[in-house]
């Protein structure tokens, strides 16, 4: 075979290899994008619900702030029940619960030595504002006042 | 071949993106979205019990553990600084590596495959030391950093500015706490930094603080209560103000409304105060004004006047505010680029660069688009578009047309390029005839016209008679070899003439409809001649004459045409109805004339409405 022809054949072969690889890559990519699109579509409904919940947070906060007012407690409880039925979970850690940055956001801190029998570490002194979850996703962490129980020896 | 991800490793927030199906897409953070975007805070923390926290959880525990939390490690990159955390020491590279590791994990979770390579962005002013440190951070995180690119370059890439003509680009990056102004020079697809300027103590946080201070002052003025020390109240005010700010991007007034913001012995107190866009602008104006100097400085350093800047790119959440956009646009006398989320564009641009380096965006397979629409001329001099502009090629589109006259045996396919409604205003790419059609009444032959554009932009137009399978084609090599300027001129022109074009098209359509109806009415009259009552015949004849007279005018009024068409349609309908009533339903088949009758006109398939121009017809 003439050298130029040989050369030509080699380039063409390489080119066809590259193109095949490229086509396979694109085909795979197309499949993946399609799958991702499916996933996103199935999640889109959930995201819409979450958006609606997020828009309600200011109102829920107002209900909590007004809970001392006559009638408001009842109203808030009804609202809460309806939302819970739709999957909205409330994060309102009790006093003494251990602080978890995955669920709680610390905005204040104080420290005191741990009393005998108390474990040292970070605990929730007070929940300042409730947080919310939806199917395990934290939509908003609870805002808490953290108490640090230092080791008694200090 | 595994994917290369693009990472925007920011001072206060970070984000990552990857090419998916040829387009960059943001990698979602595992903790979910929390900043109004898909980024996460660039915070790393070690709890006292030795747990490592990155991102949102790290930020949330910051107050409880300030000595164990690292914020803004980016500011220390490339320095000899060491973080001492609970008895251990970490370099800024190591801290950044924790952020990068989280990004790597999130990307792997989202892609479902291992990720080992990345492109990371840095500010344009970063020196070699800082760039090397960023690279090291990547290596520590188990990522091979295939390239470090400048943030403003990435932003420009996200807007596709590398494909524009050589120009100068000003990138205005206003983040949470820093302003970076960069001027890039683009030459043959390569970006070069001309100058940088900025302010490390200026950002969106300052604006938010100004708004919160205003709301608190309002509350104090109306209710006499200072809630500055109440963290719950403060958080509610901050969020309410943030929402108001977002609403004011689209509306002119809103209300900051926080019921039961405070409770005391005298009862509950609510914050309810209107906020207008004008007020908001007044509040943030002093902060925005501080952006003026850095922009002017950058221009001066690059020895440019505002008019020399070809493109303006806005980066960062605060640039979503109309007042910020207006400020920059006024300062430079130029509209900013739109269409990419300013909080995501650096990461998206990094992903595009990663795609190029990974061979994802190969020249060989860089898919182009048709810069202008392609179509053919149809009855009445109308340009019927088959391929809309900006369609990604290769592509193929076909449509079925028919003849405009009885026993027409040749059709001319006139190929056009452009955005205007009428054929004469567009560029003619060529024409060819398809001859030898079997003689048939107009509207009967089915001629499929198809456009095939291959990846290199070569257009093949084929006309095919579906009955005889006869076909004829024309190949046009690179019809869109138009300069950017010319292309833009054509698009602009289409916009400018949109109204006039719509009128002409409407007129042409009215003419075509009238013409078709006259044709059918005349046929009906011939076929039903012996059954039509004299007065019906005269009524139809009169209406036909009236319509024909209008059609004979060089430029009849479209609504007159429509009215006359409707009148004819009515009288033909009435006449035909009487004939059939007389015949009795069972007696005679309605016959083809009824099928072709005017009432059926609108039911005809789309393709038939447009007709290939009859070559014998007079050119106008």
């Amino acid at each position: 075979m003439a050298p130029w022809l040989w050369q030509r054949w080699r380039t063409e072969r390489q080119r066809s290899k590259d193109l095949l690889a490229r086509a396979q890559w694109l085909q795979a990519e197309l499949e993946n994008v399609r799958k991702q699109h499916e996933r996103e579509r199935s999640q889109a409904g959930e995201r819409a619900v979450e958006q609606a919940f997020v828009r309600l947070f200011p109102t829920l906060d107002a209900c909590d702030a007004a809970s001392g007012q006559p009638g408001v407690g009842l109203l808030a409880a009804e609202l809460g029940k309806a939302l819970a039925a739709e999957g909205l979970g409330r994060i309102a850690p009790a006093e003494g619960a251990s602080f978890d940055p995955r669920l709680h956001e610390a905005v204040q801190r104080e420290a005191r030595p741990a009393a005998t029998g108390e474990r040292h570490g970070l605990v929730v002194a007070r929940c300042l504002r409730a947080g919310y979850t939806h199917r395990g996703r934290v939509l908003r962490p609870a805002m808490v006042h953290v108490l640090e129980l230092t080791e008694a020896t200090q | 071949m595994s994917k290369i991800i693009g990472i925007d490793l920011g001072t206060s927030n970070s984000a990552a993106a990857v090419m998916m199906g040829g387009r960059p897409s943001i990698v979602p953070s595992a903790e979910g979205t929390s900043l109004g975007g898909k980024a996460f805070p660039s915070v790393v923390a070690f709890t006292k019990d030795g747990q490592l926290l990155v991102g949102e959880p790290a930020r949330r525990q910051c107050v409880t553990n300030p000595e164990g939390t690292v914020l803004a490690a980016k500011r220390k990159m490339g320095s000899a600084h060491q973080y001492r955390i609970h008895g251990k020491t970490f370099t800024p590279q190591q801290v950044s590596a924790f952020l990068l590791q989280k990004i790597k994990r999130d990307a792997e979770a989202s892609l479902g495959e291992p990720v080992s390579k990345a492109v990371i962005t840095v500010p344009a002013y970063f020196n070699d030391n800082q760039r090397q440190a960023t690279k090291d951070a990547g290596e520590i995180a188990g990522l091979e950093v295939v390239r470090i690119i400048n943030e403003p370059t990435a932003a420009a890439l996200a807007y596709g500015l590398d494909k524009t003509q050589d120009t100068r680009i000003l990138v205005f990056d206003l983040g949470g706490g820093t302003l970076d102004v960069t001027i890039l020079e683009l030459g043959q697809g390569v970006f070069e930094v001309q100058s940088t300027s900025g302010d490390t103590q200026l950002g969106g946080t300052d604006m938010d603080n100004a708004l919160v201070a205003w709301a608190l002052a309002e509350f104090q003025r109306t209710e006499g209560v200072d809630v500055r020390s109440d963290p719950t109240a403060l958080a509610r005010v901050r969020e309410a103000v943030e929402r108001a700010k977002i609403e004011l991007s689209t509306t002119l007034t809103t209300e900051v409304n926080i019921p039961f913001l405070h409770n005391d012995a005298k009862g509950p107190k609510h914050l309810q105060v209107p906020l207008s866009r004008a007020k908001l602008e007044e509040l943030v104006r002093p902060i925005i004004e501080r952006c003026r100097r850095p922009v002017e400085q950058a221009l001066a350093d690059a020895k440019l006047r505002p008019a020399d800047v070809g493109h303006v790119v806005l980066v960062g959440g605060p640039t979503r505010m109309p007042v910020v956009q207006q400020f920059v646009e006024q300062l430079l006398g130029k509209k900013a680029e739109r269409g990419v989320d300013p909080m995501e564009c650096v990461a998206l641009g990094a992903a595009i660069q990663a795609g190029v380096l990974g061979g994802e965006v190969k020249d060989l397979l860089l898919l182009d688009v048709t810069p202008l629409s392609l179509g053919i001329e149809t009855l009445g001099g109308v340009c019927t578009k088959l391929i809309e502009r900006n369609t990604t090629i290769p592509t193929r589109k076909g449509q079925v047309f028919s003849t405009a006259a009885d026993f027409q045996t040749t059709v001319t396919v006139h190929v056009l390029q452009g955005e205007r409604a009428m054929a004469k205003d567009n560029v003619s790419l060529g024409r060819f005839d398809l001859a030898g059609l079997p003689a048939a009444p107009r509207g009967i032959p089915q001629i499929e016209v198809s456009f095939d554009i291959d990846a290199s932009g070569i257009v093949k137009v084929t006309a095919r008679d579906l009955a005889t399978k006869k076909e004829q084609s024309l190949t046009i090599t690179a019809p869109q070899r138009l300069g950017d300027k010319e292309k833009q001129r054509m698009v602009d022109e289409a916009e400018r003439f949109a109204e006039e074009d719509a009128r002409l098209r409407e007129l042409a359509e009215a003419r075509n409809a009238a013409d078709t109806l006259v044709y059918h009415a005349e046929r009906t009259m011939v076929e039903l001649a012996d059954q039509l009552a004299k007065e019906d015949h005269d009524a139809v004849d009169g209406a036909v004459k009236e319509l024909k007279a209008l059609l004979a005018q060089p430029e009849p009024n479209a609504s007159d045409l429509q009215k006359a068409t409707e009148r004819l349609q009515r009288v033909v309908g009435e006449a035909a109805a009487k004939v059939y009533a007389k015949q009795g339903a069972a007696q005679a088949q309605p016959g083809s004339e009824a099928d072709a009758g005017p009432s059926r006109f609108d039911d005809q398939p789309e393709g038939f409405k447009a007709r290939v121009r009859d070559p014998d017809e007079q050119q106008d």
Side-chain angles (χ1 to χ4, degrees), chain B residues 75-369:
Chain B
R75 292 192 204 259
K76 300 280 186 228
M77 285 297 259
S79 73
H81 184 89
Q82 297 229 310
Y83 295 101
R84 300 198 153 270
I85 303 169
H86 304 317
K88 284 191 199 145
T89 58
F90 295 94
T91 61
Q93 290 91 309
Q94 282 174 303
V95 174
S96 296
F98 291 128
L99 294 168
L100 294 171
Q101 254 163 8
K102 172 195 154 44
I103 289 172
K104 183 175 187 277
R105 270 198 311 275
D106 287 348
E108 287 174 345
S110 151
L111 290 171
E113 58 183 90
V115 170
S116 59
K117 291 178 183 178
V119 167
I120 304 179
T121 63
V122 296
Y125 56 78
F126 256 30
N127 61 28
D128 282 349
N129 230 350
Q130 292 166 304
R131 284 166 201 261
Q132 187 55 49
T134 306
K135 215 169 176 177
D136 293 345
E139 313 284 321
I140 298 168
L143 286 168
E144 181 195 332
V145 181
V146 289
R147 184 143 330 160
I148 294 281
I149 68 168
N150 289 326
E151 287 158 11
T153 301
L157 282 174
Y159 279 100
L161 294 181
D162 52 320
K163 293 180 195 73
T164 59
Q165 285 170 337
D166 295 357
T167 182
R168 294 187 187 89
I169 301 158
L170 185 138
V171 181
F172 182 90
D173 180 350
L174 185 60
T178 46
L179 167 70
D180 289 323
V181 180
T182 312
I183 294 176
L184 299 170
E185 168 133 34
L186 172 65
Q188 283 155 6
V190 177
F191 293 95
E192 201 179 318
V193 178
Q194 293 275 293
S195 66
T196 64
S197 177
D199 187 334
T200 52
Q201 306 296 329
L202 174 63
T205 318
D206 298 316
M207 297 188 199
D208 294 343
N209 289 344
L211 291 174
V212 170
W214 164 80
L216 290 174
E218 282 293 309
F219 190 60
Q220 192 161 13
R221 189 173 61 79
T222 53
E223 303 294 336
V225 183
D226 182 1
V227 290
R228 250 165 273 253
S229 52
D230 175 356
T232 314
L234 262 180
R236 291 180 69 195
V237 170
R238 193 168 279 280
E239 288 165 8
V241 163
E242 169 77 25
R243 274 196 304 278
K245 190 178 78 180
I246 292 167
E247 273 170 38
L248 288 176
S249 293
T250 49
T251 64
L252 289 176
T253 55
T254 184
E255 198 175 51
V256 180
N257 193 350
I258 314 175
F260 302 97
L261 183 60
H262 184 75
N263 268 306
D264 59 21
K266 288 188 217 121
K269 304 231 182 317
H270 319 298
L271 173 64
Q272 196 175 6
V273 50
L275 180 59
S276 65
R277 192 188 281 184
K279 182 70 195 172
L280 171 83
E281 292 178 1
E282 180 195 319
L283 289 167
V284 300
R285 176 57 65 178
I287 297 148
I288 293 175
E289 272 302 324
R290 287 173 56 201
C291 302
R292 185 183 296 272
R293 279 266 320 136
V295 173
E296 286 170 351
Q297 187 63 50
L299 285 169
D301 289 351
K303 299 190 177 57
L304 295 176
R305 289 165 300 133
D308 300 328
V309 173
H311 295 273
V312 178
V313 172
L314 299 176
V315 181
T319 64
R320 286 193 188 128
M321 287 172 73
V323 57
V324 176
Q325 295 168 2
Q326 280 156 17
F327 172 83
V328 178
E329 288 174 352
Q330 241 166 38
L331 197 55
L332 295 159
K334 190 149 282 122
K335 284 265 166 216
E337 303 292 315
R338 303 274 149 120
V340 182
D341 186 332
M343 279 190 82
E344 297 178 351
C345 73
V346 171
L348 295 174
I352 292 172
Q353 179 70 59
V356 172
L357 294 170
E360 184 124 352
V361 190
K362 254 188 196 162
D363 273 351
L364 177 68
L365 281 136
L366 198 65
L367 295 183
D368 215 338
V369 295

Side-chain angles (χ1 to χ4, degrees), chain A residues 22 29 36 65 106 129 148, chain B residues 20-21 48 60 239 360 365:
Chain A
R22 193 67 208 149
E29 180 90 352
Q36 200 200 3
R129 191 172 76 163
E148 179 171 12
Chain B
M20 296 283 276
K48 281 175 194 154
R60 287 176 197 153
E239 288 165 8
E360 184 124 352
L365 281 136

Side-chain angles (χ1 to χ4, degrees), chain B residues 370 372-374 385-392 397 419:
Chain B
T370 54
L372 292 165
S373 301
L374 292 167
K385 288 179 193 168
L386 270 88
I387 293 180
E388 292 287 336
R389 80 190 195 93
N390 281 339
T391 302
T392 304
K397 281 237 177 78
E419 308 310 310

